[in-house]
PDB file of all heavy atoms in Angstrom:
ATOM      1  N   ILE A  47      15.872 145.589  24.355  1.00  0.00           N
ATOM      2  CA  ILE A  47      15.438 146.642  25.257  1.00  0.00           C
ATOM      3  C   ILE A  47      16.261 147.885  24.939  1.00  0.00           C
ATOM      4  O   ILE A  47      17.497 147.857  24.981  1.00  0.00           O
ATOM      5  CB  ILE A  47      15.622 146.242  26.729  1.00  0.00           C
ATOM      6  CG1 ILE A  47      14.819 144.962  27.044  1.00  0.00           C
ATOM      7  CG2 ILE A  47      15.179 147.372  27.653  1.00  0.00           C
ATOM      8  CD1 ILE A  47      15.000 144.473  28.448  1.00  0.00           C
ATOM      9  N   ILE A  48      15.581 148.971  24.595  1.00  0.00           N
ATOM     10  CA  ILE A  48      16.258 150.213  24.209  1.00  0.00           C
ATOM     11  C   ILE A  48      16.019 151.253  25.294  1.00  0.00           C
ATOM     12  O   ILE A  48      14.893 151.459  25.728  1.00  0.00           O
ATOM     13  CB  ILE A  48      15.728 150.718  22.862  1.00  0.00           C
ATOM     14  CG1 ILE A  48      15.932 149.638  21.784  1.00  0.00           C
ATOM     15  CG2 ILE A  48      16.419 152.015  22.462  1.00  0.00           C
ATOM     16  CD1 ILE A  48      15.334 150.003  20.449  1.00  0.00           C
ATOM     17  N   VAL A  49      17.088 151.908  25.734  1.00  0.00           N
ATOM     18  CA  VAL A  49      16.988 152.950  26.753  1.00  0.00           C
ATOM     19  C   VAL A  49      17.500 154.264  26.168  1.00  0.00           C
ATOM     20  O   VAL A  49      18.328 154.278  25.243  1.00  0.00           O
ATOM     21  CB  VAL A  49      17.773 152.557  28.020  1.00  0.00           C
ATOM     22  CG1 VAL A  49      17.141 151.365  28.697  1.00  0.00           C
ATOM     23  CG2 VAL A  49      19.226 152.259  27.683  1.00  0.00           C
ATOM     24  N   GLU A  50      16.999 155.356  26.716  1.00  0.00           N
ATOM     25  CA  GLU A  50      17.320 156.676  26.168  1.00  0.00           C
ATOM     26  C   GLU A  50      18.756 157.109  26.458  1.00  0.00           C
ATOM     27  O   GLU A  50      19.420 157.723  25.646  1.00  0.00           O
ATOM     28  CB  GLU A  50      16.346 157.705  26.730  1.00  0.00           C
ATOM     29  CG  GLU A  50      14.905 157.520  26.280  1.00  0.00           C
ATOM     30  CD  GLU A  50      14.717 157.886  24.815  1.00  0.00           C
ATOM     31  OE1 GLU A  50      15.609 158.582  24.265  1.00  0.00           O
ATOM     32  OE2 GLU A  50      13.715 157.488  24.206  1.00  0.00           O
ATOM     33  N   ASN A  51      19.232 156.807  27.661  1.00  0.00           N
ATOM     34  CA  ASN A  51      20.555 157.281  28.016  1.00  0.00           C
ATOM     35  C   ASN A  51      21.199 156.320  29.004  1.00  0.00           C
ATOM     36  O   ASN A  51      20.604 155.326  29.412  1.00  0.00           O
ATOM     37  CB  ASN A  51      20.486 158.695  28.598  1.00  0.00           C
ATOM     38  CG  ASN A  51      19.412 158.790  29.672  1.00  0.00           C
ATOM     39  OD1 ASN A  51      19.433 158.014  30.619  1.00  0.00           O
ATOM     40  ND2 ASN A  51      18.482 159.729  29.529  1.00  0.00           N
ATOM     41  N   LYS A  52      22.422 156.647  29.372  1.00  0.00           N
ATOM     42  CA  LYS A  52      23.183 155.770  30.258  1.00  0.00           C
ATOM     43  C   LYS A  52      22.555 155.671  31.633  1.00  0.00           C
ATOM     44  O   LYS A  52      22.578 154.620  32.271  1.00  0.00           O
ATOM     45  CB  LYS A  52      24.618 156.284  30.360  1.00  0.00           C
ATOM     46  CG  LYS A  52      25.538 155.381  31.169  1.00  0.00           C
ATOM     47  CD  LYS A  52      26.963 155.898  31.168  1.00  0.00           C
ATOM     48  CE  LYS A  52      27.869 154.972  31.974  1.00  0.00           C
ATOM     49  NZ  LYS A  52      29.272 155.463  31.993  1.00  0.00           N
ATOM     50  N   GLU A  53      21.985 156.793  32.107  1.00  0.00           N
ATOM     51  CA  GLU A  53      21.357 156.765  33.434  1.00  0.00           C
ATOM     52  C   GLU A  53      20.193 155.782  33.472  1.00  0.00           C
ATOM     53  O   GLU A  53      20.008 155.042  34.439  1.00  0.00           O
ATOM     54  CB  GLU A  53      20.892 158.163  33.833  1.00  0.00           C
ATOM     55  CG  GLU A  53      22.002 159.155  34.144  1.00  0.00           C
ATOM     56  CD  GLU A  53      22.713 159.642  32.891  1.00  0.00           C
ATOM     57  OE1 GLU A  53      22.177 159.403  31.782  1.00  0.00           O
ATOM     58  OE2 GLU A  53      23.808 160.233  33.014  1.00  0.00           O
ATOM     59  N   ASP A  54      19.369 155.769  32.411  1.00  0.00           N
ATOM     60  CA  ASP A  54      18.258 154.823  32.358  1.00  0.00           C
ATOM     61  C   ASP A  54      18.762 153.389  32.321  1.00  0.00           C
ATOM     62  O   ASP A  54      18.177 152.472  32.913  1.00  0.00           O
ATOM     63  CB  ASP A  54      17.385 155.094  31.126  1.00  0.00           C
ATOM     64  CG  ASP A  54      16.639 156.401  31.239  1.00  0.00           C
ATOM     65  OD1 ASP A  54      16.488 156.889  32.378  1.00  0.00           O
ATOM     66  OD2 ASP A  54      16.192 156.926  30.200  1.00  0.00           O
ATOM     67  N   PHE A  55      19.861 153.174  31.594  1.00  0.00           N
ATOM     68  CA  PHE A  55      20.411 151.839  31.517  1.00  0.00           C
ATOM     69  C   PHE A  55      20.917 151.366  32.878  1.00  0.00           C
ATOM     70  O   PHE A  55      20.704 150.214  33.270  1.00  0.00           O
ATOM     71  CB  PHE A  55      21.543 151.819  30.492  1.00  0.00           C
ATOM     72  CG  PHE A  55      22.175 150.466  30.322  1.00  0.00           C
ATOM     73  CD1 PHE A  55      21.487 149.437  29.689  1.00  0.00           C
ATOM     74  CD2 PHE A  55      23.456 150.213  30.803  1.00  0.00           C
ATOM     75  CE1 PHE A  55      22.071 148.193  29.540  1.00  0.00           C
ATOM     76  CE2 PHE A  55      24.033 148.970  30.659  1.00  0.00           C
ATOM     77  CZ  PHE A  55      23.338 147.952  30.016  1.00  0.00           C
ATOM     78  N   GLU A  56      21.573 152.250  33.612  1.00  0.00           N
ATOM     79  CA  GLU A  56      22.065 151.889  34.938  1.00  0.00           C
ATOM     80  C   GLU A  56      20.904 151.597  35.873  1.00  0.00           C
ATOM     81  O   GLU A  56      20.965 150.694  36.709  1.00  0.00           O
ATOM     82  CB  GLU A  56      22.944 153.026  35.501  1.00  0.00           C
ATOM     83  CG  GLU A  56      24.245 153.235  34.755  1.00  0.00           C
ATOM     84  CD  GLU A  56      25.134 152.015  34.824  1.00  0.00           C
ATOM     85  OE1 GLU A  56      25.068 151.283  35.837  1.00  0.00           O
ATOM     86  OE2 GLU A  56      25.903 151.762  33.865  1.00  0.00           O
ATOM     87  N   ARG A  57      19.826 152.358  35.744  1.00  0.00           N
ATOM     88  CA  ARG A  57      18.646 152.111  36.595  1.00  0.00           C
ATOM     89  C   ARG A  57      18.006 150.756  36.259  1.00  0.00           C
ATOM     90  O   ARG A  57      17.561 150.030  37.145  1.00  0.00           O
ATOM     91  CB  ARG A  57      17.623 153.215  36.405  1.00  0.00           C
ATOM     92  CG  ARG A  57      16.391 153.054  37.290  1.00  0.00           C
ATOM     93  CD  ARG A  57      15.428 154.222  37.137  1.00  0.00           C
ATOM     94  NE  ARG A  57      14.286 154.055  38.009  1.00  0.00           N
ATOM     95  CZ  ARG A  57      13.203 153.358  37.705  1.00  0.00           C
ATOM     96  NH1 ARG A  57      13.138 152.755  36.520  1.00  0.00           N
ATOM     97  NH2 ARG A  57      12.194 153.251  38.542  1.00  0.00           N
ATOM     98  N   LEU A  58      17.972 150.386  34.961  1.00  0.00           N
ATOM     99  CA  LEU A  58      17.424 149.096  34.577  1.00  0.00           C
ATOM    100  C   LEU A  58      18.224 147.957  35.195  1.00  0.00           C
ATOM    101  O   LEU A  58      17.666 146.966  35.657  1.00  0.00           O
ATOM    102  CB  LEU A  58      17.421 148.971  33.043  1.00  0.00           C
ATOM    103  CG  LEU A  58      16.925 147.633  32.480  1.00  0.00           C
ATOM    104  CD1 LEU A  58      15.461 147.401  32.845  1.00  0.00           C
ATOM    105  CD2 LEU A  58      17.108 147.594  30.964  1.00  0.00           C
ATOM    106  N   LYS A  59      19.560 148.107  35.236  1.00  0.00           N
ATOM    107  CA  LYS A  59      20.387 147.047  35.808  1.00  0.00           C
ATOM    108  C   LYS A  59      20.162 146.908  37.306  1.00  0.00           C
ATOM    109  O   LYS A  59      20.301 145.833  37.868  1.00  0.00           O
ATOM    110  CB  LYS A  59      21.864 147.345  35.526  1.00  0.00           C
ATOM    111  CG  LYS A  59      22.244 147.197  34.058  1.00  0.00           C
ATOM    112  CD  LYS A  59      23.762 147.128  33.883  1.00  0.00           C
ATOM    113  CE  LYS A  59      24.441 148.390  34.433  1.00  0.00           C
ATOM    114  NZ  LYS A  59      25.914 148.339  34.241  1.00  0.00           N
ATOM    115  N   SER A  60      19.837 148.019  37.965  1.00  0.00           N
ATOM    116  CA  SER A  60      19.663 147.960  39.415  1.00  0.00           C
ATOM    117  C   SER A  60      18.291 147.443  39.831  1.00  0.00           C
ATOM    118  O   SER A  60      18.078 147.117  40.994  1.00  0.00           O
ATOM    119  CB  SER A  60      19.882 149.359  40.009  1.00  0.00           C
ATOM    120  OG  SER A  60      18.881 150.264  39.544  1.00  0.00           O
ATOM    121  N   MET A  61      17.336 147.379  38.901  1.00  0.00           N
ATOM    122  CA  MET A  61      15.983 146.907  39.235  1.00  0.00           C
ATOM    123  C   MET A  61      15.987 145.393  39.362  1.00  0.00           C
ATOM    124  O   MET A  61      16.634 144.692  38.583  1.00  0.00           O
ATOM    125  CB  MET A  61      14.986 147.341  38.156  1.00  0.00           C
ATOM    126  CG  MET A  61      14.787 148.846  38.042  1.00  0.00           C
ATOM    127  SD  MET A  61      13.647 149.296  36.700  1.00  0.00           S
ATOM    128  CE  MET A  61      12.136 148.605  37.344  1.00  0.00           C
ATOM    129  N   ASP A  62      15.247 144.887  40.368  1.00  0.00           N
ATOM    130  CA  ASP A  62      15.108 143.449  40.503  1.00  0.00           C
ATOM    131  C   ASP A  62      13.747 143.021  39.939  1.00  0.00           C
ATOM    132  O   ASP A  62      12.921 143.839  39.546  1.00  0.00           O
ATOM    133  CB  ASP A  62      15.263 143.000  41.968  1.00  0.00           C
ATOM    134  CG  ASP A  62      14.204 143.627  42.877  1.00  0.00           C
ATOM    135  OD1 ASP A  62      13.212 144.172  42.356  1.00  0.00           O
ATOM    136  OD2 ASP A  62      14.387 143.556  44.106  1.00  0.00           O
ATOM    137  N   ILE A  63      13.555 141.707  39.909  1.00  0.00           N
ATOM    138  CA  ILE A  63      12.335 141.154  39.305  1.00  0.00           C
ATOM    139  C   ILE A  63      11.080 141.639  40.025  1.00  0.00           C
ATOM    140  O   ILE A  63      10.090 142.041  39.399  1.00  0.00           O
ATOM    141  CB  ILE A  63      12.385 139.612  39.341  1.00  0.00           C
ATOM    142  CG1 ILE A  63      13.578 139.100  38.536  1.00  0.00           C
ATOM    143  CG2 ILE A  63      11.110 139.027  38.765  1.00  0.00           C
ATOM    144  CD1 ILE A  63      13.543 139.475  37.086  1.00  0.00           C
ATOM    145  N   ASN A  64      11.116 141.646  41.351  1.00  0.00           N
ATOM    146  CA  ASN A  64       9.931 142.050  42.115  1.00  0.00           C
ATOM    147  C   ASN A  64       9.550 143.493  41.815  1.00  0.00           C
ATOM    148  O   ASN A  64       8.359 143.837  41.715  1.00  0.00           O
ATOM    149  CB  ASN A  64      10.186 141.871  43.614  1.00  0.00           C
ATOM    150  CG  ASN A  64      10.317 140.410  43.994  1.00  0.00           C
ATOM    151  OD1 ASN A  64       9.600 139.577  43.459  1.00  0.00           O
ATOM    152  ND2 ASN A  64      11.222 140.107  44.897  1.00  0.00           N
ATOM    153  N   GLU A  65      10.551 144.357  41.678  1.00  0.00           N
ATOM    154  CA  GLU A  65      10.265 145.767  41.404  1.00  0.00           C
ATOM    155  C   GLU A  65       9.613 145.936  40.039  1.00  0.00           C
ATOM    156  O   GLU A  65       8.697 146.732  39.864  1.00  0.00           O
ATOM    157  CB  GLU A  65      11.555 146.580  41.485  1.00  0.00           C
ATOM    158  CG  GLU A  65      11.338 148.083  41.330  1.00  0.00           C
ATOM    159  CD  GLU A  65      12.636 148.862  41.468  1.00  0.00           C
ATOM    160  OE1 GLU A  65      13.661 148.227  41.787  1.00  0.00           O
ATOM    161  OE2 GLU A  65      12.611 150.081  41.262  1.00  0.00           O
ATOM    162  N   ILE A  66      10.092 145.160  39.068  1.00  0.00           N
ATOM    163  CA  ILE A  66       9.504 145.238  37.727  1.00  0.00           C
ATOM    164  C   ILE A  66       8.058 144.756  37.745  1.00  0.00           C
ATOM    165  O   ILE A  66       7.173 145.366  37.154  1.00  0.00           O
ATOM    166  CB  ILE A  66      10.346 144.405  36.733  1.00  0.00           C
ATOM    167  CG1 ILE A  66      11.728 145.023  36.590  1.00  0.00           C
ATOM    168  CG2 ILE A  66       9.654 144.310  35.389  1.00  0.00           C
ATOM    169  CD1 ILE A  66      12.670 144.216  35.718  1.00  0.00           C
ATOM    170  N   ILE A  67       7.804 143.646  38.444  1.00  0.00           N
ATOM    171  CA  ILE A  67       6.441 143.106  38.503  1.00  0.00           C
ATOM    172  C   ILE A  67       5.503 144.092  39.182  1.00  0.00           C
ATOM    173  O   ILE A  67       4.377 144.333  38.730  1.00  0.00           O
ATOM    174  CB  ILE A  67       6.429 141.754  39.254  1.00  0.00           C
ATOM    175  CG1 ILE A  67       7.304 140.741  38.519  1.00  0.00           C
ATOM    176  CG2 ILE A  67       5.015 141.234  39.387  1.00  0.00           C
ATOM    177  CD1 ILE A  67       6.899 140.513  37.084  1.00  0.00           C
TER     178      ILE A  67
END
Side-chain angles (χ1 to χ4, degrees):
I47 301 177
I48 302 175
V49 294
E50 294 288 343
N51 49 55
K52 185 177 180 180
E53 290 74 13
D54 291 340
F55 181 71
E56 293 298 330
R57 182 176 181 275
L58 177 63
K59 290 195 301 181
S60 64
M61 295 178 66
D62 61 14
I63 299 299
N64 292 322
E65 185 178 354
I66 295 175
I67 299 303

